[in-house]
Amino acid sequence: QIQLVESGGGLVQTGGSLRLSCAASGSTSSINVMSWYRQAPGNEREWVAGITTSGITNVADSVKGRFTISRDNAKNTVYLQMNSLEPVDTAVYYCKTIIRSQPYWGQGTQVTVSS
C-alpha cells in the first residue's frame, strides 16, 4: 500500500510561483515513476509532469519552461515548482504513482491563480 499526501497549494496572483510537494509513505521501495496531474472545474484530469527514480523527467507542453518536477528519494517526496503562473493553471493538483498496475492518487491540493 502507498499513501500520497500533497501540500503547497494556495492562492497566488498571475506571474507568481508555488511549490507543491507530494510525500509518499508505505511501500515506497516499489515506487518508480511519480507524476503530477491537474483537474480544472469542468475539465478532465490531465497529466502535467512525471519523473523516474533516476531523475528522468518529462513535462507537458502546456507548462514547459514554467513548471519543473523534481524528487528527493531519501524523503520519498516529489515536488512541482510552478513559476509564471497563469489563471489557466487554476486546478486541483494530484500526485500519482502506479505499482504493479495499481494506480495510487493523493487527495489533491488546490491551486488558484488570480488575474
Side-chain angles (χ1 to χ4, degrees), residues 14 24 47 53 55-56 58 65 85 100:
T14 296
W47 173 80
T53 304
I56 298 172
N58 200 5
L85 283 161
R100 289 185 287 275

Side-chain angles (χ1 to χ4, degrees), residues 29-77:
S29 61
S30 301
I31 295 176
N32 182 8
V33 177
M34 295 189 74
S35 303
W36 286 98
Y37 285 72
R38 67 185 181 184
Q39 187 167 20
N43 290 358
E44 293 185 356
R45 194 169 296 190
E46 65 171 350
W47 173 80
V48 175
I51 185 168
T52 67
T53 304
S54 60
I56 298 172
T57 63
N58 200 5
V59 178
D61 288 343
S62 59
V63 303
K64 195 164 291 183
R66 301 188 298 122
F67 291 11
T68 303
I69 187 171
S70 62
R71 70 192 286 172
D72 184 334
N73 291 329
K75 295 182 178 180
N76 296 311
T77 300

Side-chain angles (χ1 to χ4, degrees), residues 4 7 12 19-20 29 37-38 46 48 51 56 58 74-75 80-81 87 90 97-98 106 109-110:
L4 302 174
S7 61
V12 65
R19 189 176 83 151
L20 306 183
S29 61
Y37 285 72
R38 67 185 181 184
E46 65 171 350
V48 175
I51 185 168
I56 298 172
N58 200 5
K75 295 182 178 180
L80 186 68
Q81 177 67 43
T90 295
T97 192
I98 298 176
T109 185
Q110 176 71 47

